[in-house]
């Protein structure tokens, strides 16, 4: 069955370190998204991609970067981790390029703690 | 930019009672609207969505929502709550003119036996 996976599921790191969170989907979806979930804020969009070599900034992109070298993967990098980036991170994907009316399918999440 | 407000961060109902979760949105153009559900320690999954077809949208697990343009609302309802409905519910809006999606802060639904 097609799925979307995230790794690691839990991560503890120190401030200033570079961290990369992996997201892999096997649906062959064009669109991929990264969100962070914080109490009282719901989900906020960090970065998104509508296809290979395409990346775009979302609402809370500062301190994060992504790259899309193939259809299946959209890794999220925290260049220099900060305590404010302690959060739960969700990756999502949807089928057709740029069509925001489509259902997004979410991964199980990565819980990141920055000490 | 579009935005979503969910009224009530926590709603508690008795099993068998009506569930009503409120969502109001702002958007400069006719929006796409979504309700997602999140069970503990899981990702989100789609309950239902409005994409400019019928204003009354039926979703999974007996939930439905009605798009009311005049009230800029998209409230989620279920006639009879079940214990398995206990979860966090998120309303989301995407604006065809912008290339992102905005989520509300979420409403945690508790169902009492």
């Amino acid at each position: 069955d097609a799925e979307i996976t995230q790794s690691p599921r839990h991560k503890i790191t120190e401030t200033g370190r570079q961290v990369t969170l992996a997201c892999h989907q096997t649906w062959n979806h064009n669109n991929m998204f990264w969100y962070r979930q914080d109490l009282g804020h719901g989900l906020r969009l960090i970065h998104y991609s509508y296809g290979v070599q395409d990346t775009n900034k979302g609402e809370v992109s500062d301190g994060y970067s992504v790259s899309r070298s193939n259809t299946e993967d959209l890794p999220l990098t925290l260049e220099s981790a900060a305590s404010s980036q302690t959060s739960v991170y969700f990756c999502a994907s949807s089928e057709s390029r740029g069509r925001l009316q489509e259902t997004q399918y979410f991964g199980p999440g990565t819980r990141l703690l920055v000490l | 930019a579009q935005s979503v407000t969910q009224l009530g961060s926590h709603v508690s109902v008795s099993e068998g009672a009506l569930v009503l979760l409120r969502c109001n949105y702002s958007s400069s153009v006719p929006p796409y609207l979504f309700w997602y559900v999140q069970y503990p320690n899981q990702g989100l999954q789609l309950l239902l969505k409005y994409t400019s077809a019928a204003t009354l949208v039926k979703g999974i697990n007996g939930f439905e929502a009605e798009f009311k343009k005049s009230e800029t609302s998209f409230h989620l309802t279920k006639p009879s709550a079940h214990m398995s409905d206990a979860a966090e519910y998120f309303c989301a809006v995407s604006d065809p003119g912008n290339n992102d999606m905005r989520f509300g802060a979420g409403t945690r639904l508790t169902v009492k036996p």
Side-chain angles (χ1 to χ4, degrees):
Chain A
D1 285 349
E3 61 178 355
I4 181 166
T5 58
Q6 295 183 234
S7 63
R9 295 293 313 277
H10 302 272
K11 175 77 176 179
I12 300 175
T13 191
E14 297 176 342
T15 56
R17 289 188 180 268
Q18 184 180 79
V19 176
T20 296
L21 309 182
C23 175
H24 180 80
Q25 53 97 2
T26 58
W27 276 302
N28 202 35
H29 283 170
N30 283 305
N31 307 329
M32 295 185 73
F33 309 83
W34 272 106
Y35 296 90
R36 60 177 289 174
Q37 182 179 27
D38 304 289
L39 198 62
H41 290 279
L43 275 76
R44 290 179 291 176
L45 185 64
I46 304 171
H47 282 286
Y48 59 99
S49 167
Y50 288 153
V52 176
Q53 302 301 330
D54 176 77
T55 61
N56 305 279
K57 294 181 178 180
E59 182 186 0
V60 290
S61 61
D62 287 349
Y64 303 94
S65 64
V66 294
S67 62
R68 187 93 180 267
S69 59
N70 59 53
T71 301
E72 296 80 17
D73 299 289
L74 186 70
L76 176 72
T77 297
L78 287 67
E79 303 293 346
S80 177
S83 57
S84 60
Q85 294 177 307
T86 291
S87 186
V88 182
Y89 291 85
F90 287 99
C91 181
S93 70
S94 65
E95 185 173 2
S96 297
R97 186 180 182 93
R99 286 170 59 86
L100 290 178
Q101 66 269 44
E102 296 195 344
T103 301
Q104 293 189 17
Y105 296 87
F106 284 79
T110 293
R111 193 172 295 271
L112 177 67
L113 175 61
V114 183
L115 298 174
Chain B
Q2 69 273 30
S3 66
V4 172
T5 301
Q6 290 184 240
L7 299 176
S9 59
H10 193 185
V11 170
S12 181
V13 301
S14 298
E15 190 172 21
L18 171 73
V19 175
L20 171 61
L21 304 182
R22 300 178 186 274
C23 172
N24 288 88
Y25 69 91
S26 67
S27 177
S28 58
V29 298
Y32 303 129
L33 294 159
F34 306 79
W35 276 100
Y36 283 85
V37 61
Q38 183 181 32
Y39 298 103
N41 298 314
Q42 295 185 25
L44 281 69
Q45 62 185 82
L46 183 72
L47 272 178
L48 49 81
K49 63 180 178 180
Y50 167 78
T51 57
S52 74
T55 56
L56 182 62
V57 182
K58 295 186 183 297
I60 62 172
N61 301 336
F63 284 93
E64 63 181 37
E66 186 171 9
F67 171 66
K68 292 187 176 181
K69 184 178 178 181
S70 61
E71 298 178 8
T72 61
S73 69
F74 191 59
H75 302 329
L76 182 71
T77 60
K78 181 174 180 177
S80 177
H82 192 272
M83 297 296 291
S84 61
D85 295 327
E88 184 125 23
Y89 292 80
F90 292 93
C91 183
V93 60
S94 69
D95 182 336
N98 293 316
N99 287 323
D100 67 7
M101 179 177 288
R102 297 296 173 101
F103 284 79
T107 297
R108 182 170 298 277
L109 176 66
T110 301
V111 182
K112 298 175 292 186

